Structures are given as C-alpha cells and as structure tokens.
Amino acid sequence: MPAGTIALTNNSAAVTGTGTNFTSELKANDFVVVVVGGVTYTLGVKSVESATALTLVTAYGGATTSGLSWTPVPNATLVGITAQVAADVAKAIRGLNLDKANWQGIFTGTGNVTVNLPDGTSWTGPAWNGIAQTISGKLDKSGGEITGNLTVDKDLTVTGKGTIGGPLAQSGGATFYNGDLLVDSGEVVAKKFTDAGGGYYNAAFVKSVLSGRGANGDSRGAYAALLCQEQVNTKFSGYIALNGFGNNILFEFRNNGNAYAPQQWVSSSDKRIKTNIKKIEDPLVKMRLIKGVTWDRLDRFAPGIGFIAQDVQAAFPSAVSVYGDMTMSDGTVVKDVLAPDTTGVAAALHHEAILALMDKIEKQDAVIAELQGRMKAIDGLDA
C-alpha cells in the first residue's frame, strides 16, 4: 500500500496528502484509485506539485472526504486494463448477439435450424415454428365421413358396407367392406375382401356397437369400429372410427409406425393429482446431456429425428421406460428397448433452459452497461 492518506474536495481538482510521497509514487498521466461511499473513483493525475499535493485532470465529483486510503495506478497499467475491458465487452456483445440469433432461429425458423455455441460447436434441430407447420393440418377431417351401414348381430357377425369419402379417403374414394367378425374359442377372426376398383384390400372390423337412443330421443346411436386399408406393397393403415350421434372421428395408424389424431393426444397434468412437484435443477447442464439427432433405423421403420433414450435417461431417469424386445430387419432381437417421454422432457427442459438463459442475458446486459459506462469515463479522461 502507498504511504499516507489523501483528502478530496467536491468539485475541486486539488488533492492533499497526509504522510504521502506523491513525487516518488506518481507522475503526470498516472491515476489515483479511491473508494468513497462504496463507489470506486479512478482519477487521472495532471501534475504532481509536491510529496503532499497534486492536481487532477478533471475536478473530483464525489463527496468531500479525508483520511482516504489510495492506490497509485501507472498509466501503462490502466491502458492494459482498458484493453482487457474492451476485449471483455466485445466478447460479451458477441455472446449476446449469438444467443439472440440462436433463439430467434428456434422461435421463428422453419425446418431445421443450426444453433452455434460459444465453444465453436453447433447443434442442428427442428425450429418450433417448423414443428408447428409440419404437424398442422396433417389430418383434416373436414368433408370426410363414413357412409353406409355396418351392423352386428347377436353372434357378432358383421354385415353391411361402409365408404370413407372426402380428404380421409384415397384418391377416388376408398370403400371398406365388412369382414365376418366373430368370436370362436377366444379368437377374433375376420374375412378379407378385395376392392378391385381402387386396387385396395380392405376390411372393416366392428369392435362394438352401442344401440339404443341418445339424449332427447336421438335414435342414431353410436359405434366404435376398426377399419383396415391396404394398398399392395405400398401402404397399410388402420383406423379407429368413433361414431356417436352423427359425429364421426377417425384415428389413423400407419405401417411406418406413425399415428395421427384429428385433434391432440391429451394427457392429464392437473397438480391436484400429483405430488413431489419440483422444478428442473441445472437445466443448462441437463441440456448438454441430451443431443438433438437424426437417425436411420435398423428395423423396418423410416428415419427419424429427436432424442436418444440413453441421453434422456442420463438426465431424467424417471422419464424413460422399457418398451420391450424388438426384432430388427436382419432378425437380430434387441432386448429391453428404451422409450423416453420426449414430449414431456422437451417441453419442461426447454422451458426451464430458456428461463435460465434469460437470467444469464439479463446479467450480461448489466455487466455490459457497467463496462460501457467505464469506457465512456476513460474516454473522457483521454480527451
């Protein structure tokens, strides 16, 4: 520490020392650093008059005070500090701009977007807007309906013929014929028919028919049916048809493993049916444990995109369950295949990660504002 203490007077450039040796510790263009009322002042030295007197470049703007401890800072040292501050500010601004570009891409991009990370690595995955556009209107039931009659007698024998029309049908419309559905020694069997006109093999399996009248004497009744449609060597789809009092809804299950609903697959999430509710801790750390990837499958299903079960398991063990054994295209059996709850993990983890990033950005903004203020003060001293 330098010898002695100093006294400063508000709106005065004169500095008075007590027990100081200014002439050996300072020269013109050096700096004096003091802390007054918890605020750090960096004061440029214009000239040194004696061991106990010097003049500042600009008048001191703080409160009048004496008995202050002080620190001499050579000009070369402060130049180095200024250069480092400028580099830190530039780095912080680059990081801020990078974060802004990344999250704008995630929020508003279409298709896949690339997120560039500060360490030079990158991650490519679907943008939220792209996901919304991809799934929007995939199954539009407007104008589609089942016509005709499908009936079941007391022996569970199906009779009749139904036709699906509108956007739910293949080109030219698809007809679904009945298959004689019956229960025989505990087995459900059906007979298959061919629709030569459309080139499809079609069958209809009526699971249950609820006869009777609805509210206010409505006599249309309701039924649930399984409808199967096959286009030879190309496509197979199974439909669950729910028909209640004139309202017809179809759920489609395709042979590529995908399923489509007219609305949303809904799960209950009321806090009244849950306990031990906790926020995700260290969401940014967990984000790095889970990679967004694309893949080709070893079974007969199409390529995909999303999370790997083992990655999800490392961050959220309870979000992964055992699906069962699966047979690959070459006959290899994979035991205990894992199935992650990607919807829940993605929604909760991304939400908490965004909040954590928002906190970091707000802190960076505060640091940048402080550094910019210091740079302006330094620029004023050099003027």
Side-chain angles (χ1 to χ4, degrees), residues 143-150 160-166 168-170 172-178 195 202 204 223 227 229 243 248 250:
E145 61 179 357
I146 296 179
T147 58
N149 295 314
L150 290 173
K161 173 181 174 180
T163 300
I164 292 183
L168 293 179
Q170 297 288 338
T175 300
F176 290 80
Y177 294 84
N178 69 285
D195 178 8
N202 306 289
Y223 70 80
L227 307 175
Q229 180 186 61
N243 194 324
N248 197 49
L250 289 176

Side-chain angles (χ1 to χ4, degrees), residues 313-327:
Q313 191 176 47
F316 304 101
S318 62
V320 178
S321 58
V322 177
Y323 172 81
D325 298 346
M326 292 185 66
T327 302

Side-chain angles (χ1 to χ4, degrees), residues 6 33 54 60-61 64 94 108 121-122 139 168 175 200 205 209-210 218 244 252 256 259 270-271 294-295 318 377:
I6 64 173
V33 178
L54 62 81
Y60 164 69
T64 299
R94 284 196 303 271
T108 64
T121 61
S122 62
L139 185 57
L168 293 179
T175 300
Y200 302 102
F205 308 84
V209 173
L210 305 178
D218 193 324
E252 181 181 7
N256 61 5
D270 193 312
K271 70 178 181 179
T294 60
W295 57 70
S318 62

Side-chain angles (χ1 to χ4, degrees), residues 190-210:
K191 187 167 60 177
K192 198 173 192 180
F193 291 85
T194 301
D195 178 8
Y200 302 102
Y201 292 92
N202 306 289
F205 308 84
V206 174
K207 184 66 176 178
S208 63
V209 173
L210 305 178

Side-chain angles (χ1 to χ4, degrees), residues 29-362:
N29 296 323
D30 285 349
F31 296 86
V32 172
V33 178
V34 295
V35 178
V36 180
V39 178
T40 300
Y41 291 85
T42 303
L43 309 172
V45 177
K46 181 178 181 181
S47 60
V48 178
E49 279 70 41
S50 67
T52 58
L54 62 81
T55 302
L56 302 176
V57 174
T58 57
Y60 164 69
T64 299
T65 185
S66 61
L68 286 171
S69 297
W70 64 288
T71 301
V73 179
N75 179 270
T77 299
L78 196 58
V79 169
I81 294 173
T82 301
Q84 184 60 49
V85 169
D88 290 343
V89 170
K91 180 179 179 181
I93 292 175
R94 284 196 303 271
L96 181 63
N97 289 336
L98 185 63
D99 285 342
K100 180 180 178 182
N102 285 339
W103 288 110
Q104 281 184 341
I106 290 292
F107 288 139
T108 64
T110 58
N112 285 341
V113 295
T114 298
V115 173
N116 297 304
L117 304 178
D119 62 0
T121 61
S122 62
W123 171 83
T124 299
W128 291 2
N129 188 44
I131 294 173
Q133 292 179 358
T134 298
I135 65 176
S136 177
K138 283 298 183 183
L139 185 57
D140 181 4
K141 67 182 181 64
S142 60
E145 61 179 357
I146 296 179
T147 58
N149 295 314
L150 290 173
T151 60
V152 180
D153 64 17
K154 63 182 180 180
D155 296 321
L156 294 181
T157 299
V158 182
T159 58
K161 173 181 174 180
T163 300
I164 292 183
L168 293 179
Q170 297 288 338
S171 59
T175 300
F176 290 80
Y177 294 84
N178 69 285
D180 293 331
L181 182 67
L182 52 88
V183 177
D184 182 12
S185 302
E187 295 182 355
V188 177
V189 297
K191 187 167 60 177
K192 198 173 192 180
F193 291 85
T194 301
D195 178 8
Y200 302 102
Y201 292 92
N202 306 289
F205 308 84
V206 174
K207 184 66 176 178
S208 63
V209 173
L210 305 178
S211 60
R213 297 179 179 274
N216 301 319
D218 193 324
S219 60
R220 287 174 290 177
Y223 70 80
L226 296 180
L227 307 175
C228 300
Q229 180 186 61
E230 179 181 356
Q231 185 175 0
V232 180
N233 298 324
T234 302
K235 175 187 174 184
F236 172 84
S237 292
Y239 296 90
I240 297 178
L242 303 179
N243 194 324
F245 311 112
N247 296 317
N248 197 49
I249 300 174
L250 289 176
F251 298 84
E252 181 181 7
F253 301 85
R254 295 185 180 176
N255 63 332
N256 61 5
N258 292 333
Y260 299 86
Q263 293 293 326
Q264 303 293 324
W265 299 106
V266 179
S267 60
S268 57
S269 188
D270 193 312
K271 70 178 181 179
R272 294 173 298 174
I273 63 174
K274 300 177 181 179
T275 186
N276 199 27
I277 299 173
K278 298 178 182 178
K279 288 186 63 174
I280 295 175
E281 297 182 356
D282 301 321
L284 298 182
V285 174
K286 290 182 172 62
M287 283 282 282
R288 293 187 180 275
L289 296 177
I290 303 177
K291 300 181 293 293
V293 298
T294 60
W295 57 70
D296 293 324
R297 293 182 65 121
L298 296 175
D299 53 15
R300 57 188 170 84
F301 295 115
I305 184 171
F307 296 157
I308 297 298
Q310 283 79 359
D311 292 348
V312 176
Q313 191 176 47
F316 304 101
S318 62
V320 178
S321 58
V322 177
Y323 172 81
D325 298 346
M326 292 185 66
T327 302
M328 303 298 101
S329 298
D330 62 359
T332 302
V333 176
V334 179
K335 308 289 287 185
D336 297 330
V337 174
L338 299 180
D341 175 14
T342 54
T343 301
V345 169
L349 181 56
H350 284 112
H351 177 79
E352 289 302 315
I354 290 171
L355 292 179
L357 286 172
M358 290 172 64
D359 290 340
K360 291 184 67 174
I361 291 172
E362 290 174 357

